[in-house]
Amino acid sequence: MSTGRQHLTNCDDDRATNRRNELISQVYELALRKEISEDFVDLWQQYLHEFIDSQITGDFDDTVPECTFNDQEIESHFSRAYMLLERSAAEGIAPTIKRHVEAQAGAAIVFTAAGDLAGVNKEARAVFGAIKTLSELQVMVEADDFEKLEAMLLRTERIQTGSEVHLFSINVAKAGRNEPASSLFIARAVSVSPGSEAFLSISALAVGWSSVVESLIGRCFGLTLGELQTLRELVRGLDISAIAQTSARSVHTVRTQVKSILSKTGTSSQTALVRMMTLLANEVDNDTSQISVTEGISHGERYNVSFPAGDFLPVNVIGPEDGNPVVFFHGVLDGFAFHRGLPQLCDGYGIRMVLVSRPAFGDSPPCEAIARDPLQIGEPIERVLDALDIDEVTLFGHMAGSLYAAATAAALDGRVQRVFSAAGGVPISSGKQFRDMSPRQRMVALTARFTPALLPTILRAGIAQINSGGEDDFMESLYREGTQDHEVLNKPETRRAVLRGYAFSVAQGQRAFVNDSRHIITNWNSIAQRVKAPWTLFHGAKDGVVSIESVRTFAASHRNVELRELPDAGQLLMYEHADLVFRAICEPHSEVQLGGRNGKRCDQNHRDISV
């Protein structure tokens, strides 16, 4: 009999050993294939459950002390896989930079944040020679221009990619001339791929000059055909001598035309003139109604709100100036992109919305204070409100952004009128809330809760999958076939909006995800209890990440919380029912029914927009 028991024990040990070996193999497969396979999800969840069972008797809740993970072998394999993913990402940057510089119309050169050469095309080699560092440009440019370039280099991690630019001239030696000629260049921060570091790109000025642009500028400023021809050549980067030579006119004639153009356009120098024309040409040629994949959002006025320790928080303000003020907090994977544009929603419902790019998302710099304590987000938000002369405000949190809306409401209690959440998370206080999650989200949540040291490897793999063109597969793994959210994603406009959100979220790699995971998968009820303003939760009954049962329990336990269930919606409810949520934001305070579920609907007291 004892032999039989021993045989069973040996079989169990063998199965555990085989499963462990397979898990290790799958970790390296994950690094090589840049995608999280279902086999890995299953194996890792089995390992996690065995680890949790070894640490905790019965179900676990928020009172369970932190488990100590001491499997050094597994940890070392995850660490090596992480390094492989990082190395692969770094190796992928060089050819991307090469494609970037070779795609430019003229000379182009790129520097790393340390000021070292990262890429250069043959046209730039002819201009700059065998340059290796940014500092070698100092002899070619004016002192104030070089100071500006150095300042931009220091801020490459914090510049909104493509939005901060500097136009300047470089003295270029040309054959057959005693004096160097001056050519115009433009410097800007670039991120050559989502998740990669930022670089400083310097390229010969190339403006999208078209007949439409030329005709518009000619009419606006009353320029003659000769002046338009001269302006066109100035924008191309030619100096007065080169324009005279190519157009068979005298230097005196060209110089006179330039003076006339400066007078008619109200500009003080050729550099200021070309800067103005560049902006005008880009404004005419570019469709700014679309949300930028890299920058997250390009609408409205942008502010960088500074606060202690040198940190700052980027915000965009959209909607009518006299609209109801609302601060919007995005989640982990959504950004600001919905299939109905936020600018149209805000204009239609009369909402002045402050869009907060949370730390380490998009182009927002990291902030250790907020990473440690979500309540710290209240200080920069208060500065935003002060700068915009907003006394009282409504807060709106989408998905994981609900935590930060709650934290802001707790920190700024006297200035918050109402709080809204859409598909938001609630404090996690039991193991059942983990078990109710769909498999992929449950794996990440359990890893963050019980083995946080291993979380960066899993998150890095997901980001690598997105960056390598596997966005659709990544999306399909989150929202499986047969779910309500999968049906929503069948709509092309929704899929495009979700993908734009992914690009915004992974722009700085896994840092933001790691920071958020520390708070989202814990019991943050101590923050929720400090929210005194009326709080309305919109939640889909078919949400596969945060179960409707847990949201019902949360709403019932807080007197100021109202739950509005959407019976046929999942986690992506904002991509289907944005109008419903915005309509509720506009309803009078008296409409809100607290302490339960499904309060009254809005009474159409809003500006109608077409659906």
Side-chain angles (χ1 to χ4, degrees):
M1 197 72 168
S2 60
T3 304
R5 282 200 301 269
Q6 182 66 45
H7 175 71
L8 290 174
T9 301
N10 290 339
C11 288
D12 290 341
D13 289 344
D14 288 343
R15 281 195 292 268
T17 299
N18 291 338
R19 192 161 57 243
R20 183 185 183 84
N21 291 338
E22 180 63 18
L23 173 62
I24 293 170
S25 173
Q26 285 289 333
V27 168
Y28 291 108
E29 187 75 9
L30 178 118
L32 294 173
R33 293 174 56 188
K34 299 183 180 64
E35 65 181 70
I36 302 175
S37 68
E38 294 307 311
D39 288 342
F40 175 81
V41 173
D42 292 340
L43 285 166
W44 179 234
Q45 288 198 134
Q46 287 182 44
Y47 180 89
L48 277 173
H49 285 300
E50 289 173 0
F51 169 69
I52 294 168
D53 290 341
S54 71
Q55 300 285 317
I56 302 169
T57 302
D59 198 7
F60 60 87
D61 58 24
D62 58 303
T63 63
V64 173
E66 291 296 320
C67 299
T68 302
F69 183 75
N70 54 12
D71 192 329
Q72 295 182 356
E73 182 185 3
I74 290 293
E75 192 166 344
S76 66
H77 288 300
F78 268 68
S79 178
R80 292 191 192 102
Y82 179 84
M83 287 188 289
L84 287 172
L85 285 163
E86 287 287 279
R87 185 183 305 166
S88 176
E91 290 171 352
I93 289 175
T96 311
I97 291 178
K98 182 179 180 181
R99 289 194 297 271
H100 169 76
V101 295
E102 290 180 350
Q104 305 305 308
I109 190 167
V110 176
F111 297 96
T112 68
D116 298 321
L117 180 69
V120 59
N121 62 12
K122 63 181 181 180
E123 291 84 359
R125 282 293 185 203
V127 173
F128 303 112
I131 189 172
K132 293 183 178 179
T133 64
L134 180 71
S135 60
E136 295 174 56
L137 283 184
Q138 189 166 6
V139 297
M140 302 182 189
V141 302
E142 298 294 331
D144 56 343
D145 286 322
F146 187 73
E147 288 179 7
K148 177 67 174 177
L149 294 177
E150 286 191 312
M152 290 180 71
L153 189 71
L154 291 173
R155 296 198 303 277
T156 48
E157 291 187 358
R158 298 187 171 192
I159 294 175
Q160 182 183 16
T161 304
S163 67
E164 183 177 351
V165 299
H166 180 57
L167 190 66
F168 63 103
S169 60
I170 292 181
N171 295 321
V172 181
K174 293 188 176 181
R177 296 195 178 187
N178 295 326
E179 296 293 332
S182 178
S183 295
L184 288 171
F185 283 75
I186 188 166
R188 58 166 63 88
V190 297
S191 181
V192 295
S193 65
S196 72
E197 60 184 300
F199 295 84
L200 184 65
S201 173
I202 297 175
S203 56
L205 184 66
V207 181
W209 195 268
S210 64
S211 58
V212 174
V213 171
E214 188 169 301
S215 176
L216 177 64
I217 290 174
R219 291 197 309 271
C220 288
F221 298 105
L223 302 182
T224 66
L225 292 178
E227 289 168 347
L228 278 172
Q229 181 183 0
T230 296
L231 178 58
R232 186 191 315 131
E233 299 304 316
L234 284 173
V235 168
R236 285 179 53 202
L238 300 182
D239 59 13
I240 289 177
S241 298
I243 294 172
Q245 184 176 356
T246 57
S247 62
R249 287 173 288 171
S250 68
V251 171
H252 174 74
T253 298
V254 175
R255 185 174 286 117
T256 300
Q257 287 179 329
V258 170
K259 289 180 180 178
S260 176
I261 296 169
L262 293 174
S263 175
K264 290 179 178 180
T265 58
T267 49
S268 58
S269 66
Q270 291 182 44
T271 300
L273 171 66
V274 174
R275 183 181 290 115
M276 175 193 286
M277 294 302 112
T278 301
L279 293 174
L280 286 174
N282 289 338
E283 186 67 24
V284 173
D285 279 356
N286 292 337
D287 176 10
T288 58
S289 66
Q290 297 298 313
I291 294 177
S292 162
V293 169
T294 304
E295 297 170 28
I297 189 158
S298 57
H299 301 287
E301 298 179 78
R302 185 175 178 83
Y303 300 86
N304 286 332
V305 184
S306 61
F307 52 104
D311 295 312
F312 71 89
L313 196 67
V315 299
N316 283 67
V317 182
I318 61 175
E321 290 189 11
D322 61 346
N324 296 322
V326 176
V327 176
F328 178 88
F329 298 90
H330 63 81
V332 174
L333 280 171
D334 50 294
F336 306 110
F338 303 112
H339 75 270
R340 282 292 306 279
L342 280 176
Q344 292 89 336
L345 287 165
C346 289
D347 288 340
Y349 286 100
I351 291 175
R352 186 187 189 197
M353 185 167 282
V354 180
L355 305 166
V356 180
S357 296
R358 295 199 287 111
F361 287 92
D363 63 335
S364 183
C367 175
E368 288 304 316
I370 296 174
R372 289 192 302 270
D373 179 8
L375 288 168
Q376 297 303 313
I377 200 170
E379 182 174 352
I381 298 303
E382 186 165 35
R383 293 194 178 203
V384 172
L385 301 182
D386 291 341
L388 298 176
D389 294 324
I390 297 173
D391 294 325
E392 293 184 318
V393 71
T394 294
L395 305 178
F396 178 20
H398 185 225
M399 296 189 186
S402 300
L403 164 61
Y404 295 89
T408 303
L412 306 181
D413 179 38
R415 301 184 70 167
V416 177
Q417 292 180 321
R418 298 174 67 186
V419 182
F420 288 87
S421 298
V426 296
I428 292 183
S429 58
S430 72
K432 184 178 186 305
Q433 289 172 281
F434 286 96
R435 290 193 297 273
D436 287 340
M437 296 178 182
S438 55
R440 186 62 60 92
Q441 286 92 337
R442 180 170 62 248
M443 177 207 45
V444 174
L446 287 173
T447 304
R449 173 68 171 82
F450 292 102
T451 58
L454 307 184
L455 183 64
T457 302
I458 291 174
L459 295 177
R460 191 69 186 84
I463 291 169
Q465 183 176 5
I466 294 174
N467 290 344
S468 61
E471 303 99 327
D472 286 328
D473 290 337
F474 181 84
M475 190 187 309
E476 295 286 334
S477 70
L478 292 181
Y479 306 112
R480 291 186 167 186
E481 189 172 358
T483 64
Q484 174 64 24
D485 289 322
H486 190 275
E487 290 299 315
V488 174
L489 287 171
N490 284 335
K491 300 175 183 178
E493 66 273 15
T494 301
R495 184 172 286 262
R496 286 194 296 268
V498 171
L499 290 178
R500 289 200 295 272
Y502 288 176
F504 169 81
S505 297
V506 305
Q508 297 182 50
Q510 72 276 6
R511 184 184 310 183
F513 295 76
V514 172
N515 291 342
D516 268 15
S517 297
R518 297 173 186 172
H519 308 294
I520 294 169
I521 51 82
T522 62
N523 188 351
W524 47 272
N525 201 47
S526 59
I527 293 176
Q529 289 174 340
R530 292 177 56 180
V531 178
K532 305 303 180 186
W535 188 354
T536 301
L537 312 177
F538 281 88
H539 209 84
K542 298 180 179 179
D543 192 310
V545 181
V546 181
S547 71
I548 190 64
E549 289 81 9
S550 64
V551 181
R552 289 170 182 165
T553 300
F554 174 79
S557 64
H558 293 76
R559 292 177 57 84
N560 63 320
V561 174
E562 170 209 16
L563 169 59
R564 299 193 184 186
E565 292 185 22
L566 283 69
D568 296 321
Q571 188 185 49
L572 300 178
L573 70 88
M574 275 297 291
Y575 299 88
E576 288 187 285
H577 305 290
D579 287 284
L580 179 65
V581 177
F582 272 74
R583 187 177 302 123
I585 291 174
C586 297
E587 62 189 29
H589 290 214
S590 60
E591 293 279 329
V592 180
Q593 305 293 308
L594 301 180
R597 292 166 48 189
N598 299 325
K600 295 180 182 178
R601 301 302 186 197
C602 182
D603 62 353
Q604 304 299 313
N605 183 17
H606 67 284
R607 283 193 266 178
D608 252 329
I609 59 177
S610 59
V611 178

